[in-house]
Amino acid sequence: MSRTYVITGAASGIGKTTAELLRAEGHTVIGVDLAGAEVDGDLSTPAGRHAAAEAATQQAGGTVDAVITCAGLSLPKAITASVNYFGMTEFLEAMRPALAQSTAPRAALVSSLSSVQPVYPPLVDAFLRDDEAAAVGIAEELAQNEQTGGLIYASSKQAISRWVHREAVTERWAGADIPLNAVAPGVVNTPMTSELRATPGGTALIDTVVPMPLGYHQEPESIAKLLIWLTSVDNTHCCGQTIYCDGGAEAVLRGEDVWSWNNDAIAQKFTELFSQLGR
Ligand code: NAD
């Protein structure tokens, strides 16, 4: 069955590969990017996001089966906060009416292994409050210093994964039968990483912060195929997840910690649920 996809960042890297694979399978893809896609749009501003969503919806004839948000920046600058977080979440929200017209709507965002690297909590909080002015202000301060500028990217990606986890189970997404998930890549061979990968020093740096024991750096196809499955009709129950496709980097960095989180809080949650049952 042919489906209609809207993909941001479709002119390069992961977004471009995803669009190519989907088209080869006979699907319709409406790409959104600064230039070189079906919709020229700037996702760094609210006006740009809404205009791009409107143009993509119009080109799709009002019904969109899946939205995949890939557009992103890794610059240690404030614009990274706007594009990576609000350029995904606000754009997706603006696409919801078109998704609601589909019989099998799906959405997937591109997070990053950086979501488990050090972040700047006040910036993550500003993202999750949907306060773009505050987030940009904090990011501008972080960008003043080379050491702290890198926290903008990791913070934006942790916020994306947390937004997906929080929003996916709500009436607006799961309640509307829209599985919402994220993919978190390790190092991918795209223009975003080419400069770093070009020198031994840069390669050593990324291999230290993104240790990938399986498969090493990956081509964009591995991420694209995961995004395609998450947004296919085959995905009936994967919901709210960030799927790390990173050669094992997340497992190396977090180890057993992922299972030790907040046992008291989950016990409390079950106590509340059982008390609602009157037991
Ligand atoms: P890329 O640079 O090849 O592609 C990113 C695309 O986003 C470009 O086409 C660019 O024009 C577009 N974009 C940037 N700013 C925009 C704006 N304001 N409005 C519209 N489009 C804009 O990079 P990629 O590696 O394909 O990255 C895709 C996603 O994957 C990003 O969100 C990135 O953070 C994430 N990611 C990449 C890697 C990696 O190693 N390459 C790792 C983890 C996560």
Side-chain angles (χ1 to χ4, degrees):
M1 186 183 63
S2 171
R3 285 163 63 76
T4 299
Y5 289 75
V6 170
I7 302 180
T8 72
S12 178
I14 295 168
K16 184 178 181 190
T17 300
T18 308
E20 286 169 356
L21 290 176
L22 283 166
R23 286 189 180 117
E25 287 177 12
H27 299 293
T28 300
V29 177
I30 298 157
V32 177
D33 209 308
L34 288 170
E38 285 64 36
V39 172
D40 287 349
D42 182 355
L43 299 171
S44 70
T45 68
R49 291 161 205 147
H50 286 280
E54 202 178 310
T57 300
Q58 203 171 22
Q59 285 199 27
T63 302
V64 171
D65 297 300
V67 178
I68 301 176
T69 60
C70 299
L73 294 170
S74 55
L75 302 169
K77 295 184 178 172
I79 191 173
T80 298
S82 290
V83 176
N84 288 16
Y85 186 80
F86 301 100
M88 291 197 183
T89 58
E90 193 176 10
F91 179 79
L92 255 181
E93 290 287 355
M95 292 303 301
R96 266 175 34 83
L99 282 170
Q101 300 304 311
S102 169
T103 52
R106 307 280 186 267
L109 299 78
V110 179
S111 176
S112 170
L113 183 268
S114 295
S115 60
V116 301
Q117 291 171 339
V119 299
Y120 189 60
L123 179 54
V124 176
D125 290 347
F127 283 133
L128 291 170
R129 285 198 313 274
D130 262 339
D131 188 340
E132 186 164 3
V136 169
I138 294 168
E140 276 168 354
E141 280 176 33
L142 293 173
Q144 304 282 321
N145 180 313
E146 210 181 309
Q147 295 280 315
T148 53
L151 294 170
I152 300 169
Y153 182 79
S155 302
S156 72
K157 294 301 186 178
Q158 183 178 107
I160 283 295
S161 288
R162 288 177 58 178
W163 182 84
V164 166
H165 211 235
R166 183 182 77 189
E167 297 298 319
V169 295
T170 64
E171 280 301 308
R172 298 165 59 68
W173 296 96
D177 285 331
I178 311 175
L180 173 69
N181 293 282
V183 173
V187 179
V188 188
N189 297 328
T190 69
M192 183 176 276
T193 56
S194 57
E195 207 177 304
L196 268 174
R197 287 182 290 107
T199 63
T203 303
L205 177 70
I206 48 178
D207 290 346
T208 301
V209 294
V210 187
M212 298 174 68
L214 174 71
Y216 199 52
H217 301 168
Q218 59 200 320
E219 297 305 319
E221 280 76 5
S222 52
I223 307 301
K225 287 179 179 173
L226 201 43
L227 289 166
I228 289 171
W229 183 81
L230 284 170
T231 53
S232 72
V233 291
D234 288 342
N235 177 19
T236 54
H237 285 78
C238 190
C239 172
Q241 299 306 301
T242 290
I243 301 182
Y244 291 90
C245 185
D246 61 0
E250 181 269 346
V252 170
L253 294 178
R254 286 214 280 198
E256 288 287 295
D257 179 56
V258 70
W259 304 114
S260 68
W261 70 280
N262 221 351
N263 283 331
D264 291 345
I266 198 89
Q268 175 67 28
K269 182 89 188 160
F270 271 79
T271 304
E272 283 164 23
L273 290 170
F274 281 121
S275 74
Q276 281 165 22
L277 282 176
R279 295 183 185 193

